[in-house]
Amino acid sequence: ENFNTIKIKRLKGYNFTQDEINKTKKLIQDLNEMEMPDDVGEGGADDEGSDPDTETDPLSEPDVLDELADPDKCVISGDGSKSAQAGIQAKFNIKARDVDGNDIKEGGEVFTVVLFHAENSEEKIVGTVSDKQNGTYEVTYTPKLAGEYSMEIKLIDEENKENDSDEPEVFLLKGCPMKVDVTACPTSDPSKCQLDGMGINSAVAGVEASFNIVSFDSYGNKGLGSEEFTAFLSFGSEKVEAAVTDNKDGTYTVAYTCPSAGEYDLQFSW
């Protein structure tokens, strides 16, 4: 037997009444119970005037049945779908699955990924989606501004457009929008860091003085802490080591005691 394949259009968003469903079930049942006449297709009256050598059976040339990704079944995986660091490329994967939850083994779907900053409406990140041609799509993006983002992943359905001028159907993947936390780059930029406190400019001989380092990364995000800072003061041949305490919030307290009066040079390294 020859079977014609039919491409089913996504019906997400359509509502059917129970009466419509019952009528459809009854129609299918009636069709299943119908008996075809014995003479159909065997030279009977229905075939009169037809040439079996030239007539084309429409069922002998099946259409191609494309697998359609279902936005409610696609799977999002990878650290980049939940968190990222400023200035460092983040990545995650989208696995396309059909309406039955089966993995799709070929490419061709169109996904878009956009991240919106929760506090800065002008900060928007458009992810790059790479089709691996096996049903998997790799998404990469590089944020700059730290903070909380809302990520929207959409499936663009070009298949069901009746005309080229028609707008494609757009489906938001299940679970979206997703929350993504972006933290500062783990390495501070010395040119962005700030010094704060009385101990920067003056101190009393024999009395401990202090000030704070406020760290920032290259994009102006406040640092995370846990970096190694060292500091010392020098006056002629005299050198005074400073103690640096990590406050675990991107700030560091620098304390020192100069033994004698004089103009000292303060130097840092990290």
Side-chain angles (χ1 to χ4, degrees):
E1 296 182 32
N2 292 314
F3 295 93
N4 197 40
T5 57
I6 301 173
K7 183 172 184 178
I8 304 300
K9 181 176 180 179
R10 289 189 180 91
L11 298 180
K12 188 174 296 299
Y14 290 80
N15 295 316
F16 299 94
T17 66
Q18 188 61 45
D19 184 55
E20 290 173 325
I21 294 174
N22 291 337
K23 288 181 179 179
T24 302
K25 288 181 177 179
K26 182 63 168 60
L27 177 60
I28 294 173
Q29 182 179 355
D30 291 344
L31 289 173
N32 289 333
E33 293 175 353
M34 289 178 61
E35 294 185 4
M36 297 297 291
D38 294 335
D39 58 351
V40 175
E42 297 181 1
D46 291 343
D47 288 337
E48 185 175 352
S50 63
D51 184 351
D53 294 329
T54 59
E55 185 176 6
T56 301
D57 183 356
L59 296 182
S60 65
E61 299 179 359
D63 298 328
V64 175
L65 177 61
D66 293 333
E67 291 181 291
L68 297 174
D70 187 310
D72 287 342
K73 301 295 184 180
C74 294
V75 177
I76 303 166
S77 63
D79 293 340
S81 65
K82 299 176 181 178
S83 62
Q85 292 181 314
I88 299 176
Q89 186 184 76
K91 65 175 61 178
F92 64 92
N93 291 327
I94 303 170
K95 182 60 182 178
R97 288 184 174 174
D98 63 21
V99 68
D100 295 318
N102 300 313
D103 288 348
I104 294 177
K105 304 296 186 181
E106 57 187 22
E109 300 290 352
V110 179
F111 292 96
T112 62
V113 177
V114 182
L115 294 90
F116 301 90
H117 197 280
E119 298 179 359
N120 188 338
S121 59
E122 296 182 357
E123 186 67 17
K124 181 176 74 172
I125 305 171
V126 178
T128 300
V129 182
S130 300
D131 185 350
K132 298 302 182 181
Q133 300 299 322
N134 61 0
T136 300
Y137 300 78
E138 184 182 74
V139 181
T140 58
Y141 65 94
T142 305
K144 294 182 179 180
L145 183 63
E148 182 180 315
Y149 286 77
S150 176
M151 180 168 66
E152 294 183 355
I153 306 175
K154 296 179 180 179
L155 172 62
I156 312 300
D157 183 8
E158 299 276 359
E159 299 292 337
N160 291 312
K161 289 171 55 176
E162 295 183 0
N163 301 299
D164 292 338
S165 59
D166 291 345
E167 290 293 327
E169 291 184 272
V170 179
F171 300 91
L172 196 64
L173 263 60
K174 186 176 181 179
C176 291
M178 304 176 67
K179 177 183 174 183
V180 178
D181 290 318
V182 176
T183 57
C185 179
T187 305
S188 298
D189 183 342
S191 67
K192 303 288 186 180
C193 294
Q194 300 175 2
L195 304 180
D196 178 47
M198 293 293 295
I200 300 171
N201 298 313
S202 62
V204 176
V207 178
E208 183 180 84
S210 65
F211 61 91
N212 289 328
I213 302 171
V214 183
S215 63
F216 292 89
D217 65 17
S218 299
Y219 307 101
N221 302 304
K222 187 178 178 181
L224 301 174
S226 300
E227 294 185 79
E228 294 290 334
F229 284 86
T230 59
F232 68 90
L233 297 89
S234 60
F235 175 52
S237 60
E238 190 173 306
K239 182 177 179 180
V240 178
E241 296 287 346
V244 181
T245 302
D246 183 357
N247 298 318
K248 305 299 182 181
D249 62 355
T251 67
Y252 303 79
T253 298
V254 181
Y256 63 92
T257 302
C258 293
S260 57
E263 187 172 309
Y264 289 76
D265 292 325
L266 175 63
Q267 298 183 43
F268 296 96
S269 63
W270 58 86

Coordinates of all heavy atoms in Angstrom, one line a residue, residues 198-199 202-211 233 240-241 254-261 264:
M198 N 41.5 58.3 54.5 CA 42.4 59.3 55.0 C 43.9 58.8 54.8 O 44.8 59.6 54.5 CB 42.2 59.6 56.4 CG 40.9 60.3 56.7 SD 40.8 62.0 56.0 CE 42.1 62.8 56.9
G199 N 44.1 57.5 54.9 CA 45.4 57.0 54.8 C 46.1 57.0 53.5 O 47.3 56.7 53.3
S202 N 47.9 61.0 54.1 CA 48.6 61.4 55.3 C 48.5 60.3 56.4 O 47.6 59.5 56.4 CB 48.0 62.7 55.8 OG 46.7 62.6 56.2
A203 N 49.5 60.4 57.3 CA 49.5 59.5 58.4 C 50.4 60.1 59.5 O 51.1 61.0 59.3 CB 50.0 58.1 58.0
V204 N 50.3 59.5 60.7 CA 51.2 60.0 61.8 C 52.2 58.9 62.1 O 51.9 57.7 62.2 CB 50.3 60.2 63.1 CG1 51.2 60.6 64.3 CG2 49.3 61.3 62.8
A205 N 53.4 59.3 62.3 CA 54.5 58.3 62.5 C 54.2 57.5 63.8 O 53.8 58.0 64.8 CB 55.9 59.0 62.7
G206 N 54.3 56.2 63.6 CA 54.1 55.3 64.7 C 52.6 54.9 65.0 O 52.3 54.1 65.9
V207 N 51.7 55.5 64.2 CA 50.3 55.3 64.4 C 49.7 54.6 63.1 O 50.0 55.1 62.0 CB 49.5 56.6 64.6 CG1 48.0 56.3 64.8 CG2 50.0 57.3 65.9
E208 N 49.0 53.5 63.3 CA 48.5 52.8 62.1 C 47.5 53.7 61.3 O 46.6 54.4 61.9 CB 47.7 51.5 62.5 CG 47.2 50.7 61.4 CD 46.6 49.4 61.8 OE1 45.3 49.5 62.0 OE2 47.2 48.4 61.8
A209 N 47.7 53.7 60.0 CA 46.8 54.4 59.1 C 46.2 53.4 58.1 O 46.8 52.3 57.9 CB 47.5 55.5 58.4
S210 N 45.0 53.7 57.5 CA 44.4 52.8 56.6 C 43.6 53.5 55.5 O 43.3 54.6 55.7 CB 43.5 51.8 57.3 OG 42.4 52.4 57.9
F211 N 43.3 52.8 54.5 CA 42.4 53.2 53.4 C 41.9 52.0 52.7 O 42.3 50.9 52.9 CB 43.2 54.2 52.4 CG 44.3 53.5 51.7 CD1 44.2 52.9 50.5 CD2 45.6 53.5 52.3 CE1 45.2 52.3 49.8 CE2 46.7 52.9 51.6 CZ 46.5 52.3 50.4
L233 N 55.1 50.9 51.3 CA 55.5 52.3 51.2 C 57.0 52.3 51.3 O 57.6 51.5 52.1 CB 54.9 53.1 52.4 CG 53.3 53.2 52.4 CD1 52.7 52.0 53.2 CD2 52.9 54.5 53.0
V240 N 58.2 49.9 54.0 CA 57.2 49.5 55.0 C 56.1 48.7 54.3 O 55.5 49.1 53.3 CB 56.5 50.7 55.6 CG1 55.4 50.3 56.6 CG2 57.5 51.6 56.3
E241 N 56.0 47.4 54.7 CA 55.0 46.5 54.2 C 53.6 46.9 54.7 O 53.5 47.1 55.9 CB 55.3 45.1 54.5 CG 56.6 44.6 53.9 CD 56.5 44.4 52.4 OE1 55.4 44.4 51.8 OE2 57.6 44.2 51.7
V254 N 43.6 48.5 53.3 CA 45.1 48.5 53.4 C 45.5 49.2 54.7 O 45.1 50.4 54.9 CB 45.7 49.2 52.2 CG1 47.2 49.2 52.2 CG2 45.2 48.5 50.9
A255 N 46.3 48.6 55.5 CA 46.7 49.2 56.8 C 48.3 49.2 56.9 O 48.9 48.2 56.4 CB 46.1 48.4 58.0
Y256 N 48.8 50.3 57.4 CA 50.3 50.4 57.5 C 50.7 51.3 58.7 O 49.8 52.1 59.1 CB 50.9 50.9 56.2 CG 50.4 52.3 55.9 CD1 51.2 53.4 56.3 CD2 49.3 52.6 55.2 CE1 50.8 54.7 56.0 CE2 48.8 53.8 54.9 CZ 49.6 54.9 55.3 OH 49.2 56.2 55.0
T257 N 51.9 51.2 59.1 CA 52.4 52.0 60.2 C 53.8 52.5 59.8 O 54.7 51.7 59.7 CB 52.5 51.3 61.5 OG1 51.2 50.8 61.9 CG2 53.0 52.3 62.6
C258 N 54.0 53.8 59.6 CA 55.3 54.4 59.2 C 56.1 54.7 60.5 O 55.5 55.3 61.4 CB 55.1 55.6 58.4 SG 54.4 55.3 56.8
P259 N 57.3 54.2 60.6 CA 58.1 54.4 61.8 C 58.6 55.9 62.1 O 58.8 56.3 63.2 CB 59.3 53.5 61.7 CG 59.4 53.4 60.2 CD 58.1 53.5 59.6
S260 N 58.7 56.6 61.0 CA 59.2 58.0 61.1 C 58.5 58.9 60.1 O 57.9 58.5 59.2 CB 60.7 58.0 60.9 OG 61.0 57.4 59.6
A261 N 58.7 60.2 60.4 CA 58.0 61.2 59.5 C 58.8 61.3 58.2 O 60.0 61.0 58.1 CB 58.0 62.6 60.2
Y264 N 56.5 59.4 51.9 CA 56.6 58.0 51.5 C 55.9 57.8 50.1 O 54.8 58.5 49.8 CB 55.9 57.0 52.5 CG 56.7 56.9 53.7 CD1 56.7 57.9 54.7 CD2 57.5 55.7 54.0 CE1 57.4 57.7 55.9 CE2 58.1 55.6 55.2 CZ 58.1 56.6 56.1 OH 58.8 56.4 57.3

